[in-house]
Amino acid sequence: HKGLFMDKLVVTGGCGFIGSNFIRMILEKEPTVEVINFDLLTYAGNLANLKDLEKNPRLKFFKGDIANKLDVDNALKDGVSSIVHFAAESHVDRSILDSGPFIRSNIVGTQVLLDSARTHNIKRFVHVSTDEVYGSLGDTGFFTEETPLAPNSPYSASKASSDLIVRSYVHTFGFPAMTTRCSNNYGPYQFPEKLIPLFISNLQRNEQVPVYGDGLNVRDWIHVNDHCSGIHAVWRKGRVGEVYNLGGKSERTNLELTHALLNNLQKPHSLIRYVKDRPGHDKRYAIDCSKAEKELGWVPTVVFEEGLKQTVEWYLANADWINSIRTGDYLSYYQKQYGHR
Ligand code: NAD
Ligand code: DAU
């Protein structure tokens, strides 16, 4: 009868970088929560990110597409009370090459998920968004929750669209959603297309690292555990209809970050290769997260230099994880577990 008292939480995109870290944190912090990990297993979804939790009776996996109403209805039909929504196409460079999957998963997917969630009487819905919806800053200033949306890439435009759809469901239907907008995450299990794991993986093999443009673009780095504890706080304590900015208060230029990685790995600075800039490359992101701090009692706790050092150590200790992505082996993990893909 223990199940009767379980709080059922659907996490979309739980096989990705942040979703898998979030599931690990929730199963640890919330002993009466049962998690259903709903994920399509796109190129970015890796079941091995949750390998250590395979036998946990409070974690179920559901392979499905948020843009497919039948899949979503099936996952929500059995007494689900909350949804934390991570599933999205997440890489800016891919959205420049082909925006199609971004429009489908990030916009249509969010709309289908919201409609099904309304029908199934979901009590709390956290929409995980990004600081990129605010566009780009000059040398000074910070994004607050009141900063106008001004997305510059197809990725950020698709996320901003999903934010507006969430907003409209709160206002039109009284749907119990909250939105988070976080800065750049780093930590274990990040797909090695993003700057930090890509550079670590290249440097390990003594390969060059491609710095876009002059390397002076600024990002505000936050450890993934701090982002996850912020989402947790919003889920449990956030006010319906509100947006909460989350950030790490650790602004660094890409070049400063690259030097820190080279030093951590004891590699020569000659491995830096300046390459053509990303089209429409946002100059600077910086987050004012005082609203979340005041209302939720949340603060980012990981000191960047320490978090980066631990992250480098994690990738070095988990070379097999990166190699299985480099070789494509990770794509057959699901097949091995479940017999089909
Ligand atoms: P990720 O690319 O590592 O993971 C995305 C996950 O979503 C994958 O497991 C993928 O299989 C799944 N997915 C994609 N499309 C799907 C669909 N149609 N149906 C079901 N599952 C699908 O992404 P991430 O870096 O972990 O980001 C997670 C969320 O957080 C995204 O919404 C992103 O916009 C947001 N975010 C990311 C960062 C960051 O720095 N990475 C910062 C702020 C916000
Ligand atoms: O701000 C939050 C966002 O952070 C999230 O919404 C996105 O999902 C996430 O991917 C991330 O976006 P960025 O574009 O900032 O992250 P990325 O790791 O791709 O790039 C970080 C910075 O490094 C950016 O200024 C581009 C630059 N860069 C990136 C890569 C992959 C390089 O110079 N070289 C590279 O090879």
Side-chain angles (χ1 to χ4, degrees):
H1 295 288
K2 213 168 132 223
L4 287 178
F5 305 101
M6 287 281 172
D7 204 357
K8 270 200 192 175
L9 166 69
V10 163
V11 173
T12 71
C15 291
F17 162 46
I18 309 174
S20 59
N21 280 287
F22 181 75
I23 289 176
R24 190 167 289 107
M25 181 178 282
I26 289 302
L27 290 174
E28 202 178 297
K29 283 192 181 174
E30 296 265 9
T32 60
V33 169
E34 191 177 296
V35 174
I36 299 164
N37 172 16
F38 183 98
D39 199 297
L40 182 59
L41 295 178
T42 67
Y43 81 92
N46 186 353
L47 265 181
N49 293 357
L50 293 165
K51 204 174 173 183
D52 52 318
L53 297 171
E54 246 157 34
K55 302 227 153 54
N56 190 311
R58 291 190 289 124
L59 177 61
K60 304 271 177 304
F61 177 61
F62 191 115
K63 185 169 187 264
D65 180 355
I66 51 166
N68 181 319
K69 184 172 161 17
L70 273 180
D71 285 356
V72 180
D73 281 344
N74 262 329
L76 299 187
K77 70 179 179 214
D78 202 11
V80 173
S81 48
S82 297
I83 299 177
V84 177
H85 176 34
F86 292 94
E89 290 292 333
S90 69
H91 193 41
V92 174
D93 293 326
R94 285 180 187 260
S95 81
I96 295 168
L97 292 173
D98 179 9
S99 63
F102 289 75
I103 305 303
R104 186 178 183 280
S105 287
N106 302 1
I107 306 180
V108 178
T110 300
Q111 174 257 319
V112 170
L113 186 65
L114 286 167
D115 276 341
S116 180
R118 279 182 61 221
T119 319
H120 290 91
N121 205 17
I122 296 301
K123 301 283 184 284
R124 306 275 291 171
F125 184 104
V126 182
H127 175 59
V128 180
S129 190
T130 168
D131 62 353
E132 298 201 9
V133 298
Y134 297 123
S136 184
L137 290 166
D139 291 338
T140 57
F142 295 90
F143 296 132
T144 73
E145 290 81 359
E146 272 70 53
T147 303
L149 301 190
N152 290 320
S153 72
Y155 161 68
S156 53
S158 69
K159 291 296 288 186
S161 307
S162 66
D163 289 16
L164 294 179
I165 296 167
V166 170
R167 177 190 155 89
S168 77
Y169 275 56
V170 173
H171 284 261
T172 305
F173 305 114
F175 183 73
M178 285 122 322
T179 295
T180 60
R181 294 188 182 134
C182 189
S183 59
N184 285 60
N185 284 220
Y186 69 98
Y189 301 106
Q190 186 166 31
F191 198 81
E193 62 188 351
K194 310 280 165 46
L195 186 140
I196 290 181
L198 175 72
F199 282 20
I200 295 173
S201 148
N202 282 10
L203 292 173
Q204 259 183 294
R205 300 145 60 95
N206 295 314
E207 287 172 7
Q208 290 185 315
V209 291
V211 171
Y212 296 164
D214 57 10
L216 297 180
N217 302 67
V218 174
R219 295 294 182 263
D220 174 3
W221 292 95
I222 183 171
H223 192 275
V224 65
N225 286 345
D226 279 332
H227 184 194
C228 291
S229 68
I231 295 168
H232 185 207
V234 170
W235 173 38
R236 287 308 197 191
K237 301 187 238 169
R239 284 183 294 138
V240 164
E242 293 296 315
V243 172
Y244 295 95
N245 282 354
L246 303 170
K249 301 180 184 175
S250 300
E251 288 183 55
R252 297 288 184 280
T253 64
N254 292 338
L255 218 41
E256 284 169 335
L257 174 57
T258 305
H259 285 145
L261 289 170
L262 286 162
N263 294 341
N264 264 290
L265 285 149
Q266 298 180 313
K267 298 290 179 185
H269 291 205
S270 55
L271 285 176
I272 294 178
R273 184 163 55 98
Y274 290 94
V275 299
K276 197 165 165 291
D277 209 356
R278 171 186 281 173
H281 196 174
D282 285 336
K283 181 71 184 169
R284 174 173 167 258
Y285 304 143
I287 278 274
D288 175 342
C289 53
S290 52
K291 177 178 171 184
E293 291 182 333
K294 281 195 204 104
E295 270 193 32
L296 310 170
W298 168 86
V299 276
T301 58
V302 182
V303 176
F304 182 68
E305 282 65 30
E306 188 48 36
L308 192 69
K309 187 168 162 276
Q310 283 171 11
T311 299
V312 169
E313 283 163 7
W314 187 89
Y315 285 97
L316 294 182
N318 290 277
D320 288 355
W321 181 87
I322 286 245
N323 284 339
S324 74
I325 294 175
R326 278 194 174 254
T327 58
D329 272 2
Y330 78 108
L331 292 168
S332 58
Y333 194 87
Y334 176 78
Q335 205 169 1
K336 284 181 198 139
Q337 295 288 108
Y338 295 89
H340 59 91
R341 187 167 170 87

